[in-house]
């Protein structure tokens, strides 16, 4: 059954000139979404934001403009046409101008006009929408049922066509859904229609719907509700049966806007095959994926720290001393410390540098590594000065692991180090003594705003280059403009030319710690499959680290590994069908003040980075993250390269337990900044898809980054 959404942004919104009407498909209308999704077909049309739209069934859509002009359209997308194929322009009607409500079912259109009376019109061509509209009659504004319909949050009709009852009119008001009968009396002599007759007594269908702001029915026996956009959820819940009962609390999420549906006088059981739109897709020549993928070979390259420093314009920062210090020994009591050195080196002509992990670590560093699954987190700092006297400093967060560390830890360290991005030297600013932002100020940031959504709005897109911890994304932010001069292209002198720079070593001080739940894995079960995610708290997860310029604007610079040595398993098992969610675990995060005393001045920047897996007192060991169902389904399967596709035989399973997961761009919001994360799959960290026994279609899967047996990152489902 077609379902349409006139999209709107989340939160307070002043309508503009146009908006978008999108088409969805309700795959299980009879069951209220119990066994199938409401999925986006990808078809859309640009429409007038001040018009109102309603569906009448059989693909007919009516648009009522604010001026009172009524137009009808036919949805021809199922046969290759457009979403809004013009059928007829009925012109303006003075009674419709500024009408408060309009809804329809098959051959009837109901309008509550500006005077609050209800007018009912008959459509002579309900299958094409281009017939003649004839006034059946009106019901005065004084009628109690009309008053209830006028005051309701949402109103809709379901054609019933049973004896003595032509349709059923529903209304949502104050968390309660009620309905009234609608019929047409005996026609007057020579009249074409009988007068409209509304039932005077309402029947209560559902109560306790406090969060529902709109509702609709695809046909008899089913009601859907939506919590709208104001709470960032956009959750559709389904109800079906007699009496009506909740069938699915999350049929879909992330659907924002005014919703209406095609409507029918009866609903048939759903087809248990694949959800799709259009012609049934043909099976391709994909190979079956059975059992568990082979493990990765023993990792190499994890025993070194390496990186590359550049100027702000991307040119190499050569000849700078790089100081590498162990970062996991920062005390939590706020004491300012000089971190333990792991060694120094000098950047090459291309700005690159390499430093082997010491074979013998300082005792406190070794103890921190033992608690971190053998991973050694470090911070590499390169400091220089421009000819104009601006101090430049690059800060890179890195991970290395000795041969004694578990394979997952070493593999993660090797993988992260192999794709490290260059780190730009950033101007350093003097300490202004400004107080740290409050939690209320953090809540105003772009990262905090993104975190409110229940669906993954970032997907695999990279994070913005700069984020503000206390407001929206900084527009046209250029940290290199100092006193009106762009310092990004200036040569940077190291200690060999400017000896005083050799003593410009930062000291670290933890000024705040907090625990935040971080997305580490996700499972997908689009159809007749179940999703399982296992995550051992001997975490093998790399989380972005952020470095500030000044006190508010942050940039991602490297990452820290969370690889605890103790183990508690968490995750979810056999969730589905029509299910896909991230799994989040609690990590402790530190906000660190970095102070560099250089050339008789004190410079300050801030760093945000992950520490350890830590369950808050009374908190969950893990919880569900964002809905990622939008990555599944036929449209995404059809767009995926054929080399990425496979399928799971009936009753079998496939398990991803090697290589690195995808990078979850919006894995966590902490101190107003959004950070990404990726995990290492192994026998303790895995994603599994288990196929059901349906023989109506095969259970297709595909890898995001490659074939399912060759570093796919994550497995999607259709």
């Amino acid at each position: 059954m077609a379902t349409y959404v006139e999209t709107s942004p989340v939160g307070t919104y002043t309508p503009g000139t146009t908006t978008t009407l999108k088409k969805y498909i309700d795959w299980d209308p009879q069951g209220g979404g119990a066994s199938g999704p409401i999925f986006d077909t990808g078809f859309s049309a640009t429409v007038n934001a001040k018009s109102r739209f309603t569906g009448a069934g059989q693909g007919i859509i009516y648009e009522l403009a604010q001026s009172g002009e009524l137009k009808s359209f036919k949805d021809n997308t199922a046969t290759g046409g457009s979403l809004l194929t013009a059928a007829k322009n009925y012109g303006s009607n003075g009674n419709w101008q500024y009408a408060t409500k309009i809804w329809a079912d098959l051959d009837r259109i109901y309008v509550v006009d500006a005077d609050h009376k209800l007018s009912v019109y008959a459509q002579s061509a309900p299958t094409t929408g281009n017939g003649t509209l004839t006034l059946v009659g009106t019901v005065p504004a004084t009628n109690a049922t009309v008053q209830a319909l006028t005051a309701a949050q949402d109103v809709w009709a379901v054609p019933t066509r049973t004896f003595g009852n032509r349709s059923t009119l529903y209304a949502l008001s104050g968390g309660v859904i009620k309905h009234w009968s609608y019929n047409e009396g005996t026609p007057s002599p020579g009249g074409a229609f009988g007068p409209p007759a509304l039932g005077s007594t309402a029947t209560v269908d559902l109560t306790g719907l406090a969060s529902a702001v709109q509702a609709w029915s695809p046909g008899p026996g089913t009601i859907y509700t939506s919590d709208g956009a104001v709470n960032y959820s956009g959750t559709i819940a389904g109800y079906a049966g007699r009496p009506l009962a909740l069938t699915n609390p999350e049929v879909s999420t992330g659907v924002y806007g005014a919703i209406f549906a095609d409507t029918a006088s009866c609903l048939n059981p759903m087809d248990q095959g694949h959800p799709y739109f259009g012609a049934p897709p043909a099976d391709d020549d994909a190979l079956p994926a059975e059992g568990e993928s082979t493990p990765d070979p023993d990792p190499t390259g994890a025993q070194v720290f390496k990186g590359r420093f550049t100027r702000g314009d991307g040119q190499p920062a050569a000849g700078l001393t790089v100081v590498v210090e162990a970062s996991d020994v920062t005390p939590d009591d706020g004491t300012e410390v000089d971190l333990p050195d792991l060694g120094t080196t000098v950047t090459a002509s291309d700005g690159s540098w390499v430093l082997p992990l010491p074979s013998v670590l300082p005792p406190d560093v070794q103890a921190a590594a033992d608690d971190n699954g053998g991973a050694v987190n470090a911070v590499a700092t390169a400091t220089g000065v421009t000819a104009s006297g601006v101090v430049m400093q690059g800060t890179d967060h890195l991970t290395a692991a000795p041969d004694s560390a578990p394979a997952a830890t070493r593999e993660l360290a090797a993988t992260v180090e192999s794709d490290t991005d260059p780190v730009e030297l950033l101007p350093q600013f003097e300490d202004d003594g400004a107080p740290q932002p409050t939690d209320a100020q953090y809540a105003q940031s772009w990262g905090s705003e993104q975190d409110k959504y229940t669906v993954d709005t970032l997907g695999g897109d990279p994070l913005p280059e700069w984020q503000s911890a206390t407001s929206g994304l900084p527009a046209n932010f250029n940290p290199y403009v100092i006193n009106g001069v762009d310092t990004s292209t200036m040569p940077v002198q190291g200690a060999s030319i400017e000896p005083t720079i050799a003593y410009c070593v930062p000291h670290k001080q933890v000024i705040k710690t907090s625990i935040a739940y971080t997305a580490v894995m996700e499972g997908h079960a689009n159809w007749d499959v179940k999703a399982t995610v296992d995550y051992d708290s001997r975490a093998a997860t790399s989380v972005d680290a952020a470095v500030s310029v000044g006190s508010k604007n942050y940039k991602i610079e490297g990452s820290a590994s969370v690889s605890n040595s103790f183990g508690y398993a968490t995750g979810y098992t056999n969730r589905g069908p029509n299910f896909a969610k991230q799994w989040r675990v609690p990590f402790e995060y530190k906000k660190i003040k970095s102070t560099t005393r250089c050339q008789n001045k004190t410079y300050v920047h801030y760093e945000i980075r992950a520490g350890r897996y830590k369950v808050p007192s009374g908190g969950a060991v893990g919880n569900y993250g964002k809905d990622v169902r939008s990555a599944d389904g036929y449209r995404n399967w059809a767009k995926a390269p054929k080399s990425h596709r496979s399928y799971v035989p009936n009753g079998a399973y496939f398990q991803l337990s090697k290589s690195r997961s995808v990078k979850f761009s919006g894995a966590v919001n902490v101190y107003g900044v959004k950070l990404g994360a990726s995990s290492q799959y192994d026998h303790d960290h895995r994603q599994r898809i288990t196929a059901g026994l349906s023989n109506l279609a095969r259970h297709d899967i595909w890898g995001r980054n490659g074939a399912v047996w060759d570093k796919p990152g994550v497995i999607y489902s259709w």
Side-chain angles (χ1 to χ4, degrees), residues 327-541:
S327 58
D328 280 341
V329 295
T330 314
D332 293 341
D333 61 4
T335 304
E336 184 180 277
V337 296
D338 181 6
L339 295 175
D341 288 345
L342 297 176
T344 61
T345 187
V346 177
T347 57
S349 59
D350 64 350
S352 65
W353 61 274
V354 177
L355 185 73
L357 179 68
S359 57
V360 178
L361 298 172
D364 52 350
V365 177
Q366 184 63 61
D370 291 342
D371 288 340
N372 196 33
V376 180
N377 289 318
V379 56
T381 305
T383 308
V385 64
T386 67
S388 60
V390 177
V391 174
M392 297 284 189
Q393 193 171 86
T395 305
D396 196 2
H397 292 82
L398 305 156
T399 300
D403 288 337
S404 58
T409 301
R410 287 182 287 130
E411 180 65 27
L412 185 68
T415 304
V416 171
E417 291 305 313
S418 68
D419 60 5
T420 299
D421 293 327
V423 172
E424 296 176 359
L425 303 179
L426 299 173
Q428 300 298 294
F429 292 87
E430 292 185 69
D431 188 1
D432 59 6
Q436 286 298 297
T438 63
D439 290 342
Q441 290 173 315
Y442 287 137
Q444 301 303 311
S445 74
W446 174 86
S448 299
E449 194 77 4
Q450 288 287 320
D451 207 44
K452 295 176 183 178
Y453 288 90
T454 59
V455 296
D456 184 17
T457 56
L458 291 174
D461 296 335
L463 291 166
E465 183 177 12
W466 290 96
Q467 296 181 55
S468 169
T470 57
S471 64
L473 295 177
N476 302 319
F477 177 65
N478 186 350
Y480 294 99
V481 177
I482 309 296
N483 297 323
V485 178
D486 189 347
T487 62
S488 65
T489 61
M490 292 183 177
V492 179
Q493 301 170 352
S496 61
I497 299 176
E498 179 55 62
T500 58
I501 293 297
Y503 303 99
C504 298
V505 178
H507 291 70
K508 309 293 183 179
Q509 178 186 12
V510 175
I511 59 174
K512 193 174 181 66
T513 62
S514 64
I515 297 173
Y517 284 83
T518 305
V520 292
M521 300 182 75
E522 63 185 40
H524 292 263
N526 179 252
W527 175 51
D528 184 29
V529 295
K530 303 290 186 181
T532 296
V533 162
D534 289 327
Y535 185 82
D536 195 300
S537 64
R538 286 177 298 207
T541 298

Side-chain angles (χ1 to χ4, degrees), residues 36-254:
I38 293 178
F39 63 89
D40 187 353
T41 67
F43 289 98
S44 64
T46 300
V47 297
N48 190 318
K50 295 184 179 180
S51 294
R52 274 168 295 176
F53 296 84
T54 185
Q58 304 184 81
I60 302 302
I61 297 172
Y62 292 101
E63 175 189 6
L64 179 60
Q66 193 176 60
S67 64
E69 184 181 49
L70 182 70
K71 298 179 182 179
S72 61
F73 301 88
K74 177 75 172 182
D75 175 6
N76 287 326
T77 54
T79 56
S82 66
L83 176 59
L84 291 179
T85 303
K88 189 171 183 177
N89 187 336
Y90 289 94
S92 298
N93 182 318
N95 293 326
W96 296 340
Q97 189 174 19
Y98 302 113
T100 60
K101 287 182 172 62
I102 179 173
W103 68 99
D105 72 84
L106 299 181
D107 59 352
R108 291 295 184 269
I109 301 174
Y110 309 83
V111 181
V112 177
D113 62 25
D115 294 332
H116 294 171
K117 67 178 180 294
L118 174 65
S119 299
V120 184
Y121 297 83
Q123 165 66 267
S124 65
T127 61
T128 59
N130 61 357
T132 301
L133 295 186
T134 304
L135 179 66
V136 175
T138 62
V139 184
T142 55
N143 180 279
T145 301
V146 172
Q147 291 177 346
L149 296 173
T150 302
Q153 293 167 270
D154 204 0
V155 179
W156 68 100
V158 174
T160 52
R161 305 299 190 266
T162 57
F163 179 75
N165 178 213
R166 189 182 171 86
S167 298
T168 303
L169 305 187
Y170 289 84
L172 166 67
S173 183
V176 177
I177 291 178
K178 301 177 181 179
H179 75 261
W180 296 262
S181 63
Y182 169 80
N183 56 66
E184 296 171 5
T186 303
S188 59
F193 305 101
L198 296 177
S200 60
T201 302
T203 300
V204 175
D205 297 285
L206 294 168
T207 60
L209 309 176
S211 63
V213 298
Q214 55 186 322
W216 66 96
S217 295
T222 299
I223 290 178
Y224 291 103
T225 64
S226 170
D227 61 8
V230 293
N231 64 352
Y232 296 82
S233 171
T235 298
I236 295 173
Y239 301 82
R242 298 182 186 278
L244 285 165
L246 180 66
T247 53
N248 190 342
E250 287 190 356
V251 178
S252 293
T253 60

Side-chain angles (χ1 to χ4, degrees), residues 294-309:
T294 58
D296 278 333
D298 195 48
T300 60
Q303 302 91 350
V304 298
F305 299 106
K306 62 181 179 180
R308 186 160 71 91
F309 288 108

Side-chain angles (χ1 to χ4, degrees), residues 316-332:
L320 300 186
T321 299
V322 180
V323 179
V324 181
E325 301 169 298
S327 58
D328 280 341
V329 295
T330 314
D332 293 341

Side-chain angles (χ1 to χ4, degrees), residues 665-701:
S665 298
V668 65
N669 175 68
V670 60
Y671 307 126
V673 177
K674 206 76 171 168
L675 305 176
S678 62
S679 297
Q680 192 67 29
Y681 294 118
D682 62 4
H683 67 281
D684 291 322
H685 310 87
R686 55 196 173 185
Q687 177 197 355
R688 173 183 286 198
I689 290 181
T690 304
L693 298 176
S694 175
N695 59 5
L696 294 180
R698 71 185 191 190
H699 313 273
D700 289 283
I701 63 174

